[in-house]
Amino acid sequence: MGVVYNNGFCKLNAKAIIKEESMMRMRPKTKIVCTLGPACRSTEIIEELLRAGMNVARFNFSHGTHAYHHETLHNLRAAITNTNIPCAIMLDTKGPEIRTGMLKEGKPIQLKQGQEISISTDYTIKGDENIISMSYSNLARDLKPGSPILCSDGTISLTVLECNQELGMVRCRCENTTLLGERKNVNLPGVVVDLPTLTDKDREDILEWGIPNNIDILALSFVRKCSDLVAVRKLLGHHANSIMLMSKIENQEGMANLDDILANSDGLMVARGDLGMEIPIEKIFLAQKMMIHKCNIQGKPVVTATQMLESMINSPRPTRAEATDVANAVIDGTDCVMLSGETAAGAYPALAVETMARICIEAENSLDYAFVYRKAVKAAPLPMSPVESLACSAVQTANSAAAKLILVVAGGGAGAANLVAKFRPSVPILWAVAGENGGVEAKQALVLRGVVRIKCEVGRNDEEMVELGVKEGEARKLCKQGESVVVVKHAGINSSISILVV
């Protein structure tokens, strides 16, 4: 077996590292979010993604028309039916944005390090090497000499020299030599941008596509304060009770208001793309760890996103740093990891999901779950609610009894299953629910680490649901005869924990 070293979170074994093990048919506890796009929107490719480990299909409304996304959704639902593998649907809003304008003759312009260039807020101007436009009308008001401007995903860096509010002009110095194309995204680090979080396009996308198509998750871009969420819930109306609202933290204002935002969200996304241009790059890992930790304490799902396996857009293998990045996110406690261009526009969409799944499984298997449990209990606010105390005890029982599965029968909602997941058991959590149960807590279960939801017929009593749950566990190879299963029952004021031998 070899000597096992323990660094707190992980048990490290040199022989286990070099040993190759088959992971066929295994699915990670960590959920995988896949962005659907041109490279993977056919029914056949989506079926491959589902079999590879996709749990959530992300529809990125920064691109595509409603008709385009509707066709993709039709293919997704056909693939779900064909494979009998469930998958949540996420609408990711475009959100407010600032972009550079059009250019003369539509040709990219050459920017040279040290050259000066003017920026106008007159978006009708067609730019050249001397002047370009940007779509933010308050640019000259909100910037000041010395302020940085980042364009095209941070590949172009400008420094403000002077601002003229009357003319709506900003004079800048180029900090690197590169080409600038049309309509490139712009970030203003440190600036509280005066733009609405929910744009007219976002409203249209939610009301005319999201709600009619019964989405499970609404990922809201550039959430900056609690009032943003209040406005979205008002827009959703009664649908707010059945659509999970996930806030994307992408700038300094969102980070400053993180606690209020999390308290009013159903989950968070660590959106490292824009966030990486809004805060110092060396602090991204701190922001990620803090957001994951805060979500773990509250038992709310968290997604880690952006460039996780970026090189797999063109390569069949990720870089070593990317593989380590995914594993570290899992060890930190993320519920989900996300693929963007890797699946939407990559050459190897299904292979990217398979690779992500293998890394997640390896990271999960390395964890010292006794330590993780003690850490979760220590961080839990006291006094615990009755249902949280029940969930905490269930995980302790599973650890003590070396159970292979935790089966949750909770007629009153998914709260018990979600809280069991909070204490990060080493074994899967099977949640048996009667009927559709489409509330927000049930949607959270779709993206919480380790939770597998199965549906039972309405009218089944607890004993019947336990029997069905155990059979389903055996069918999924989560448990077998002679092994122990911890059964958690929770309905209203009646709760119990028991150990069942299959």
Side-chain angles (χ1 to χ4, degrees):
M1 182 71 180
V3 178
V4 177
Y5 299 92
N6 193 315
N7 72 346
F9 279 104
C10 300
K11 291 182 285 189
L12 312 174
N13 183 333
K15 288 189 176 180
I17 290 173
I18 62 175
K19 180 183 178 182
E20 291 189 15
E21 296 179 303
S22 173
M23 294 182 183
M24 295 298 290
R25 295 193 215 97
M26 289 181 67
R27 291 178 78 91
K29 298 183 187 73
T30 307
K31 305 298 175 67
I32 299 176
V33 181
C34 298
T35 305
L36 300 187
C40 65
R41 60 191 299 260
S42 70
T43 302
E44 294 75 21
I45 299 298
I46 295 173
E47 286 180 16
E48 291 182 22
L49 299 186
L50 288 167
R51 293 190 180 99
M54 176 173 72
N55 304 103
V56 181
R58 172 179 175 250
F59 289 77
N60 183 5
F61 273 73
S62 291
H63 310 283
T65 64
H66 285 194
Y68 176 91
H69 287 304
H70 189 78
E71 183 180 344
T72 305
L73 179 62
H74 174 79
N75 293 342
L76 170 65
R77 287 188 164 142
I80 291 171
T81 300
N82 294 343
T83 61
N84 198 31
I85 298 173
C87 183
I89 299 168
M90 173 190 288
L91 188 163
D92 196 332
T93 64
K94 183 177 184 180
E97 64 177 6
I98 304 172
R99 289 193 175 269
T100 61
M102 307 301 284
L103 301 173
K104 290 179 180 177
E105 299 180 4
K107 296 180 179 179
I109 58 173
Q110 179 69 56
L111 300 178
K112 295 182 179 180
Q113 184 178 9
Q115 87 169 75
E116 295 186 7
I117 189 168
S118 295
I119 303 174
S120 172
T121 55
D122 181 356
Y123 206 55
T124 63
I125 290 177
K126 292 193 174 182
D128 55 27
E129 287 78 5
N130 299 311
I131 185 171
I132 60 173
S133 65
M134 289 186 181
S135 60
Y136 183 45
S137 61
N138 293 325
L139 195 71
R141 185 196 70 184
D142 291 350
L143 294 175
K144 59 184 179 181
S147 296
I149 300 176
L150 301 177
C151 306
S152 190
D153 294 327
T155 59
I156 300 171
S157 180
L158 308 172
T159 299
V160 175
L161 300 176
E162 59 178 303
C163 303
N164 187 323
Q165 292 191 46
E166 289 186 13
L167 298 177
M169 297 285 288
V170 176
R171 189 74 177 164
C172 296
R173 180 180 64 247
C174 298
E175 300 298 344
N176 61 308
T177 299
T178 187
L179 288 173
L180 171 66
E182 295 182 324
R183 291 187 51 76
K184 296 301 180 182
N185 63 318
V186 176
N187 289 85
L188 307 176
V191 174
V192 178
V193 177
D194 187 17
L195 290 173
T197 296
L198 202 63
T199 67
D200 290 341
K201 179 187 181 327
D202 296 335
R203 293 174 185 274
E204 182 180 318
D205 292 340
I206 293 167
L207 294 176
E208 297 184 14
W209 194 92
I211 291 175
N213 284 303
N214 298 314
I215 61 169
D216 300 299
I217 305 161
L218 176 61
L220 188 63
S221 297
F222 293 99
V223 175
R224 292 169 286 182
K225 49 192 180 298
C226 181
S227 58
D228 296 337
L229 300 165
V230 173
V232 175
R233 292 192 188 280
K234 183 177 180 181
L235 178 71
L236 291 172
H238 71 275
H239 297 286
N241 296 322
S242 59
I243 296 176
M244 179 182 165
L245 189 54
M246 180 170 283
S247 295
K248 295 171 66 178
I249 306 299
E250 302 185 78
N251 53 31
Q252 291 188 21
E253 190 179 1
M255 287 297 301
N257 296 318
L258 179 61
D259 289 339
D260 285 342
I261 291 171
L262 179 56
N264 289 277
S265 303
D266 302 313
L268 284 187
M269 182 183 291
V270 185
R272 302 183 302 182
D274 283 284
L275 186 62
M277 289 183 282
E278 293 285 338
I279 68 175
I281 194 72
E282 65 273 15
K283 294 187 178 182
I284 292 297
F285 82 98
L286 287 172
Q288 174 177 318
K289 288 175 182 291
M290 181 180 70
M291 283 189 265
I292 291 173
H293 177 66
K294 286 180 178 289
C295 286
N296 288 171
I297 289 175
Q298 294 198 25
K300 292 186 177 182
V302 55
V303 178
T304 303
T306 315
Q307 295 181 329
M308 300 215 79
L309 297 178
E310 182 84 356
S311 65
M312 288 196 74
I313 291 175
N314 299 307
S315 169
R317 282 174 60 88
T319 67
R320 287 75 169 166
E322 289 168 345
T324 303
D325 179 39
V326 173
N328 280 333
V330 173
I331 291 168
D332 285 344
T334 194
D335 290 278
C336 305
V337 285
M338 193 172 98
L339 296 168
S340 299
E342 301 94 329
T343 50
Y348 309 95
L351 183 58
V353 182
E354 290 175 13
T355 303
M356 181 78 89
R358 290 201 310 271
I359 297 168
C360 289
I361 291 169
E362 199 64 56
E364 291 163 4
N365 289 344
S366 76
L367 286 170
D368 181 346
Y369 282 96
F371 176 84
V372 173
Y373 172 75
R374 291 194 302 269
K375 180 172 172 282
V377 173
K378 185 177 179 180
L382 296 176
M384 291 184 184
S385 68
V387 65
E388 183 168 1
S389 180
L390 177 78
C392 179
S393 299
V395 176
Q396 185 179 31
T397 302
N399 291 340
S400 302
K404 297 298 182 182
L405 177 68
I406 298 176
L407 174 61
V408 180
V409 177
N418 293 2
L419 286 169
V420 170
K422 170 181 174 175
F423 292 97
R424 292 293 188 257
S426 61
V427 298
I429 305 157
L430 203 60
W431 174 43
V433 58
E436 292 296 322
N437 198 323
V440 165
E441 285 184 330
K443 300 301 171 68
Q444 285 180 323
L446 296 171
V447 287
L448 276 166
R449 188 150 135 186
V451 178
V452 180
R453 189 177 68 167
I454 59 170
K455 297 176 184 177
C456 303
E457 294 176 11
V458 176
R460 297 272 188 179
N461 59 38
D462 285 354
E463 287 68 28
E464 291 174 322
M465 291 176 70
V466 169
E467 183 180 350
L468 287 170
V470 170
K471 287 182 179 179
E472 185 68 21
E474 288 184 278
R476 294 172 183 252
K477 301 190 183 328
L478 300 177
C479 61
K480 59 186 178 183
Q481 286 191 357
E483 293 180 335
S484 298
V485 173
V486 172
V487 179
V488 182
K489 297 179 184 178
H490 173 68
I493 61 173
N494 299 313
S495 301
S496 68
I497 299 172
S498 59
I499 300 176
L500 180 152
V501 178
V502 180

